[in-house]
């Protein structure tokens, strides 16, 4: 393992073999960091947190000729709250804030400009894109895809493999990207598809495998492709 | 690399640089372990097996305030059968048993209390949740999501990106979770969605992209959203 | 880190701690290689490229009793073009050619016998199977599954979580596998499902969540499950 001399470590910190702790990292008390984990410059890890093996924290965004990214100088360091648990083989970027007791599953990745509220779960293999805000006590299940410019309020449940999008012109340019907005306590079934910019009302329910092409009012349940209110379907069925 | 003195290695074992072999690990003959692989305490690796680079074996479950997990003391060690092949960047937990000649693709993860029968394939990027039993000569294709409390019998074929679920109340609590039960020789098309607790009969077929909301009798083919027998559809179509 | 003496490094190359550079690797000028990255024998990395932490380059295929693979001797080395950017925790095989300025996201994997044209994006967590050709300026979004024996022409856009397949007999054998053919400039919505061998015409559009079971003519838009022309749907709707 290698620890930069400028890193600040609390008491009872364990760091696995072949881990790398870069400059300016701050680690609280009673933190466990796995084998081969990479903690990039400036990252803050709260007390009682655990970081899995072979996970990368504080990654800088990269782009190519087709895809520009903000320079790292405009990004605040990664902050991981007290008691958070990060899995193995994850990749979490600069400019992310994870609240206390957040759980991030193995092989998940979270891009820059994302905030995650306390006690929220980001499942294994889930992906969160930039500029998205996620509330408290949210469950984002395994293998979900959370696009950029989304808002997910407190107590939302998103089932496994849900897919979201933010670009109704599919790469043709010309308009700002807007992901779905999911209001408090809504529940999304597994492998559902949410189109750009739709709003899922408070306490609404999306059935498994539904394709949601328009807004859902609070408390309503939509199913099917295209998604329709559950009562409609029963009448027609 | 680092090998705990209490680990037991067979003959003709190769271990890559920066790998870590913890206490009480048992490795058979003719095993190849990749660079940076992590083999946690007590893991058994059968003869002729290969383990990819940067893979984690024998991971202990973690939780947060919202999600409790069993203490590792209740979990048996990870056992990997003879001739098994595990990819790179995988994460496999304590309490897993992989049969002989099992193939696990890169970036796959398998949670605790899971058994996988001989010669079964768990594809790249696939995820298997706890308390699921998978038979022999099964194919679970790339990026599948296999939820907890599932039963997958021998000779089943599950196409890429299939999604399953086990909680019809989506996180509201109040009932035991039950995943789908897939009987011998059934075939599931790519990106199909299976709802909690449904039963797919022996030799049944689920079409690509279908959303299966009720049991499928043996030998029948269901397609569409919601999934209906193929013959119905032809008549109506 | 460990660098084989037979590797050839350009000027201004940085290599992170615990990286491994095997024999016969060629690295151009101004290349940055992350911590713990594994560069297997014979790989060529173009000038100005960047390789993320804990990524495996030039992996050899493996199989089991059920799944045979070509011996590595029939595979050409991995070639990564100038200015390409590869993420963290990726796995890229022997026999792959990535053009200049290609961007591969974190946790993506690309199998053998695949070519990717210049400036194309292969998103985070995306998976590309063997024997597939991908053109220039293509976008393959996050968590897409690109099956084997596909052709993706220039300027195609594939939204997040799209799923493709190539085996209409689902593992029963008996016929050659053929993945979809996607012609120039076509656009595929998120979480769409494409069946084996279908052809998506030039400039055609597939709606989010659609299940495409037959060929789409150039310039047409298909939505729904099963996918139908958008105009049909409006009339019936």
């Amino acid at each position: 393992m290698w620890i930069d001399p400028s890193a600040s470590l609390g008491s009872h910190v364990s760091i696995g073999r072949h881990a790398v702790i870069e400059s300016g990292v701050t680690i609280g008390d009673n933190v466990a960091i796995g084998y081969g984990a990479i903690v990039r410059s400036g990252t803050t890890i709260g007390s009682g947190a655990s970081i899995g093996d072979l996970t990368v924290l504080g990654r800088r965004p990269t782009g190519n000729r087709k895809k520009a990214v903000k320079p790292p100088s405009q990004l605040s360091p990664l902050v991981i709250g007290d008691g958070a648990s990060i899995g193995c083989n994850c990749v979490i970027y600069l400019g992310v804030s994870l609240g206390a007791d957040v759980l991030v599953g193995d092989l998940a990745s979270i891009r820059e400009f994302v905030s995650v509220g306390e006690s929220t779960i980001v499942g294994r293999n889930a992906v969160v894109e930039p500029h998205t805000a996620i509330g408290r006590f949210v469950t984002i299940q395994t293998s979900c895809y959370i696009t950029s410019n989304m808002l997910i309020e407190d107590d939302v449940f998103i089932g496994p493999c849900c897919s979201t999008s933010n670009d109704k012109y599919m790469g043709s340019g010309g308009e700002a990207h807007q992901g779905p907005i999911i209001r408090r306590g809504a529940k999304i079934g597994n492998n559902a598809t949410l189109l750009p910019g739709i709003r899922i009302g408070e306490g609404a329910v999306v059935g498994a495998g539904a394709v949601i092409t328009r807004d859902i009012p609070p408390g309503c349940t939509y199913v099917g492709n295209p998604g329709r209110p559950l009562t409609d379907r029963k009448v027609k069925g």
Side-chain angles (χ1 to χ4, degrees), chain A:
Chain A
M1 103 187 118
W2 183 80
I3 302 174
D4 188 274
S6 70
S8 161
L9 274 64
S11 58
H12 304 285
V13 169
S14 69
I15 300 179
R17 286 168 191 273
H18 313 128
V20 174
I21 312 293
E22 285 194 343
S23 61
V25 166
T26 302
I27 300 178
D29 300 333
N30 304 303
V31 168
I33 295 179
Y35 298 117
I38 312 295
V39 185
R40 293 279 190 176
S41 298
T43 298
T44 296
I45 301 177
S47 293
S50 67
I51 311 298
D53 304 324
L54 304 167
T55 273
V56 179
L57 299 180
R59 167 155 158 67
R60 297 166 187 77
T62 53
N64 70 351
R65 279 193 293 178
K66 193 173 172 186
K67 181 178 176 178
V69 293
K70 298 255 170 118
S73 59
Q74 295 183 24
L75 289 164
S76 51
L78 167 61
V79 177
I80 295 178
D82 292 350
S85 172
I86 313 296
C88 299
N89 283 296
C90 296
V91 184
I92 306 182
Y93 281 64
L94 276 173
V96 170
S97 163
L98 304 181
D101 294 306
V102 161
L103 177 62
V104 176
D106 308 315
L107 298 154
S109 61
I110 304 177
R111 287 279 304 269
E112 64 274 17
F113 298 115
V114 167
S115 62
V116 179
E118 62 164 302
S119 296
T120 281
I121 294 173
V122 177
R124 274 189 297 154
N125 209 34
V127 179
V128 181
E129 298 282 19
H131 296 282
T132 279
I134 301 172
R136 303 159 65 241
F137 293 94
V138 169
T139 298
I140 294 171
Q141 278 270 15
T142 305
S143 297
C144 278
Y145 175 67
I146 304 300
T147 190
S148 62
N149 298 288
M150 271 185 78
L151 171 63
I152 301 175
E153 291 188 351
D154 296 349
D155 304 314
V156 162
F157 178 95
I158 305 183
C161 313
C162 283
S163 172
T164 58
S165 57
N166 65 8
D167 178 10
K168 55 184 164 178
Y169 301 104
M170 298 192 206
S172 300
E175 192 154 319
H177 293 184
Q178 176 64 53
I181 294 171
I182 306 182
R183 296 293 179 195
R184 185 170 185 144
K187 294 177 183 301
I188 317 289
N190 65 305
N191 213 14
T193 304
L194 307 184
L195 270 76
I198 55 147
R199 287 151 194 270
I200 311 289
E202 187 168 328
V205 175
V206 171
V211 178
I212 303 302
T213 60
R214 49 181 168 163
D215 295 352
I216 301 185
C220 293
T221 298
Y222 274 50
V223 299
N225 180 359
R228 295 207 166 117
L230 185 58
T231 47
D232 280 22
R233 178 109 149 221
K234 277 186 175 156
V235 171
K236 289 179 184 170

